[in-house]
Amino acid sequence: MSAGLSDNTAFVAWRVRQQEHVEQALSNWVLADAPAGLGLVMRYAVLDGGKRLRPLLALAACEAVQGDPAVAMRAACAVELIHAYSLVHDDMPCMDNDVLRRGKPTVHVKYGEAQALLAGDALQALAFELLVPDDGSVPAALSARLCRQLAVAAGASGMAGGQAVDLASVGVALDQKALEGMHRLKTGALLQASVMMGASTAALDAAVLRQLSTYGACIGLAFQVVDDILDVTTDSATLGKTAGKDAAADKPTFVSLMGLESAQAYADEVLDQAHQALSASALPHTDTLHALADWVGRRAS
Amino acid sequence: MSAGLSDNTAFVAWRVRQQEHVEQALSNWVLADAPAGLGLVMRYAVLDGGKRLRPLLALAACEAVQGDPAVAMRAACAVELIHAYSLVHDDMPCMDNDVLRRGKPTVHVKYGEAQALLAGDALQALAFELLVPDDGSVPAALSARLCRQLAVAAGASGMAGGQAVDLASVGVALDQKALEGMHRLKTGALLQASVMMGASTAALDAAVLRQLSTYGACIGLAFQVVDDILDVTTDSATLGKTAGKDAAADKPTFVSLMGLESAQAYADEVLDQAHQALSASALPHTDTLHALADWVGRRAS
């Protein structure tokens, strides 16, 4: 196990290189020339921002299973487009009403609500389009599988469902189980799908898929626990978004439920489970997935 | 050619039967048990409403090419879910701010804007999910093709792009070419995709596909011209939505551009082209597609 890799030069170099590749691929695929300025709004929502955690998970999972990296890049960008559209819609006045995202004005502040709504809608469609190129570069069976994974993770039994639970949970005293259930849908489903879509680029047996699925679920949970910790320990400038907003909105968080110290211990425990699942998979090339788990646990924003 | 079929009993019986099948299929696929009431919002947005023109086009195209009707029903419901989500988002205050749809309060009036936004998002994801069942009932190559057709028709170079042009065209003196370009994206792309997705359920040569594509494009254009006519000639109760709103919003329409009589003549001309394309396809089972063209031209709402 190489759980310390996130500190080392090899991982940082991999991460920076892949972030650049993802940025370039997104820039190639999210075209400026969509009608009436819509392409510019979509590019504003997607480019030049974010940690690209979901794409990195997809690419690292592909590396772990020695899959097709070109297909993995499509999967990586597809999950990022879903993530980006969800942020655009989530920031709108009728949802979180947020004005700052990745250190920039949110899309509806910059372009108006109607354009934000449409750009989000178009980004979701584009995510699926990326998975079904007409150039034969992705085998049809793999395209169909990736579309299914993405649709389930993004929809009512995944991300959108989790957001509905989140909406309904303001001011409600959720216990830890209910809170985890909400986040498993709201952020966990797409993070886990990122891993599984990357892994779909190679044929794997069911036992390996189960371990990767556990890894993905643990990453999703740890990500959210750390998010809640950062929300109270870090300022808006560092986060690139409004800090302290969960507490201000009277939303339950792992920190409000467990306290800061226990939340950190819980994040560490869940990440340990992620490392263990990877090790149990017996896949030979999991260094980067291990390092990403550490990165999720130790990130500063 | 059987252009008079829309008046006859056989077509009416077919239409009513298929509308019931579509309603039942949508009810089976849009589940009430999505989290936090989201499923109920999605069902409210989708069920018990609309002419189901897009599903009918998909099913009739499948019939024309003697394709797989079970796959066509998935395609039919997928295009209807995209249509339904677009109505939900389009009715929101930041877009058309409409309160009446299919004779009922719009989704955001009934459930609030946040739930409307999320339900629309989840319906789009579900549309793609329908096309990639995990039960092997749709061949992977066909799933991938249908996903591609739907994604392109729904996205920035289709419906969402057309809505962006529409937003930008309020108070602008579009000429007929620009108006047609806008509608080709906004409503035409999905109507045409309905035909082409239904036709994808069988293997066809390129010449036949071209004729069906022309048919679909003509249906899309005629539908919009008639829509503009109905907007000024019919009351809200009959339409089930707010009448006269384009004029009130200072939006260009075929009627404002050509006058009522010329618009009706133009609709007839475009529908003639639809019939001609069908006849030129030499497909043996196009009676229902012919009848649907007449239905589009003569509908009262």
Side-chain angles (χ1 to χ4, degrees):
Chain A
M1 204 168 92
S2 47
L5 196 67
S6 70
D7 295 324
N8 81 19
T9 319
F11 172 69
V12 174
W14 178 90
R15 176 164 60 75
V16 171
R17 192 172 65 248
Q18 296 295 359
Q19 284 168 332
E20 286 169 2
H21 289 170
V22 168
E23 190 74 20
Q24 188 58 55
L26 288 169
S27 184
N28 290 345
W29 282 324
V30 185
L31 297 174
D33 64 359
L38 185 62
L40 297 175
V41 187
M42 293 166 72
R43 287 175 67 87
Y44 182 82
V46 169
L47 299 181
D48 188 28
K51 292 174 289 294
R52 309 302 189 196
L53 173 60
R54 291 155 193 79
L56 293 176
L57 286 168
L59 296 172
C62 173
E63 185 180 295
V65 303
Q66 303 276 283
D68 181 334
V71 178
M73 184 57 82
R74 287 184 175 271
C77 290
V79 292
E80 189 68 4
L81 293 183
I82 294 290
H83 176 57
Y85 110 68
S86 79
L87 297 182
V88 173
H89 283 183
D90 206 38
D91 286 337
M92 287 178 66
C94 67
M95 299 280 289
D96 282 359
N97 193 21
D98 221 322
V99 297
L100 186 68
R101 170 70 66 183
R102 293 172 177 170
K104 302 186 297 184
T106 47
V107 176
H108 69 273
V109 168
K110 174 100 176 168
Y111 291 102
E113 288 181 53
Q115 286 275 48
L117 181 58
L118 285 178
D121 290 343
L123 287 171
Q124 179 165 197
L126 181 57
F128 289 98
E129 191 180 339
L130 284 192
L131 300 177
V132 284
D134 58 1
D135 60 4
S137 65
V138 185
L142 181 50
S143 273
R145 181 185 171 108
L146 292 170
C147 281
R148 178 162 188 85
Q149 289 172 307
L150 189 65
V152 172
S157 47
M159 185 182 76
Q163 287 176 306
V165 178
D166 191 23
L167 270 181
S169 72
V170 174
V172 173
L174 296 188
D175 61 13
Q176 186 177 333
K177 194 178 158 204
L179 186 66
E180 288 188 14
M182 187 261 279
H183 287 305
R184 189 166 50 238
L185 299 178
K186 190 184 173 206
T187 53
L190 195 61
L191 286 164
Q192 190 177 29
S194 303
V195 175
M196 301 313 285
M197 290 170 71
S200 289
T201 57
L204 299 172
D205 68 42
V208 173
L209 285 174
R210 257 197 316 277
Q211 299 297 349
L212 287 174
S213 176
T214 299
Y215 169 85
C218 290
I219 292 290
L221 178 54
F223 177 84
Q224 190 57 50
V225 178
V226 173
D227 215 53
D228 287 353
I229 293 170
L230 291 171
D231 192 57
V232 296
T233 58
T234 309
D235 59 87
S236 299
T238 307
L239 286 180
K241 62 182 181 182
T242 310
K245 71 178 182 177
D246 287 339
D250 198 16
K251 283 187 180 179
T253 73
F254 287 98
V255 173
S256 70
L257 217 64
M258 315 173 80
L260 194 55
E261 208 164 316
S262 298
Q264 186 60 63
Y266 187 51
D268 291 343
E269 180 193 324
V270 173
L271 287 170
D272 270 349
Q273 291 168 14
H275 288 299
Q276 285 164 24
L278 273 190
S279 302
S281 77
L283 287 166
H285 301 284
T286 55
D287 281 10
T288 311
L289 285 175
H290 279 296
L292 280 168
D294 290 334
W295 190 51
V296 164
R298 295 175 198 165
R299 73 191 202 270
S301 68
Chain B
M1 202 167 91
S2 47
L5 195 68
S6 70
D7 295 325
N8 82 18
T9 320
F11 172 69
V12 174
W14 178 90
R15 176 163 60 75
V16 171
R17 192 171 66 247
Q18 296 294 0
Q19 284 168 331
E20 287 169 2
H21 289 171
V22 168
E23 190 73 20
Q24 188 58 55
L26 288 170
S27 184
N28 291 344
W29 281 324
V30 184
L31 297 174
D33 64 358
L38 185 62
L40 298 175
V41 187
M42 293 166 72
R43 288 175 67 86
Y44 182 83
V46 169
L47 299 181
D48 187 27
K51 295 173 288 294
R52 311 299 190 196
L53 173 59
R54 292 157 192 79
L56 294 176
L57 286 167
L59 296 171
C62 173
E63 185 181 295
V65 304
Q66 303 275 282
D68 180 334
V71 178
M73 185 56 82
R74 287 185 175 272
C77 290
V79 291
E80 189 67 4
L81 293 184
I82 293 290
H83 176 56
Y85 110 68
S86 79
L87 297 181
V88 174
H89 283 183
D90 205 37
D91 286 337
M92 285 178 67
C94 68
M95 299 280 289
D96 283 358
N97 194 20
D98 221 324
V99 298
L100 187 68
R101 169 72 65 183
R102 294 171 175 170
K104 302 186 297 184
T106 47
V107 176
H108 68 274
V109 168
K110 174 100 174 166
Y111 292 103
E113 289 182 54
Q115 287 276 46
L117 180 59
L118 285 179
D121 290 342
L123 287 171
Q124 178 165 199
L126 181 57
F128 289 98
E129 191 179 339
L130 284 192
L131 300 176
V132 284
D134 58 0
D135 60 4
S137 64
V138 186
L142 180 50
S143 273
R145 182 185 169 107
L146 292 170
C147 281
R148 178 164 188 83
Q149 289 172 307
L150 190 64
V152 171
S157 47
M159 185 182 75
Q163 287 176 305
V165 178
D166 192 23
L167 269 182
S169 73
V170 175
V172 174
L174 296 188
D175 61 13
Q176 187 177 332
K177 193 178 159 205
L179 186 65
E180 288 188 13
M182 187 260 280
H183 287 305
R184 190 165 51 238
L185 300 179
K186 190 183 172 207
T187 52
L190 195 62
L191 286 163
Q192 190 178 28
S194 302
V195 176
M196 301 313 285
M197 289 171 70
S200 289
T201 57
L204 299 172
D205 69 41
V208 173
L209 286 173
R210 256 197 315 277
Q211 299 297 351
L212 286 174
S213 177
T214 299
Y215 168 85
C218 290
I219 292 289
L221 178 54
F223 177 86
Q224 191 57 50
V225 177
V226 174
D227 214 55
D228 287 352
I229 292 170
L230 291 171
D231 192 57
V232 297
T233 59
T234 309
D235 59 86
S236 299
T238 306
L239 286 180
K241 61 183 179 181
T242 310
K245 71 177 183 179
D246 288 338
D250 197 17
K251 284 188 180 181
T253 74
F254 287 98
V255 174
S256 71
L257 216 64
M258 315 173 82
L260 195 55
E261 211 165 314
S262 298
Q264 186 61 60
Y266 187 51
D268 292 343
E269 180 193 324
V270 173
L271 287 169
D272 270 349
Q273 291 168 15
H275 288 299
Q276 286 163 24
L278 273 190
S279 302
S281 76
L283 286 166
H285 302 284
T286 55
D287 281 9
T288 311
L289 285 175
H290 279 297
L292 280 169
D294 291 334
W295 190 51
V296 164
R298 295 174 198 167
R299 73 189 201 273
S301 67

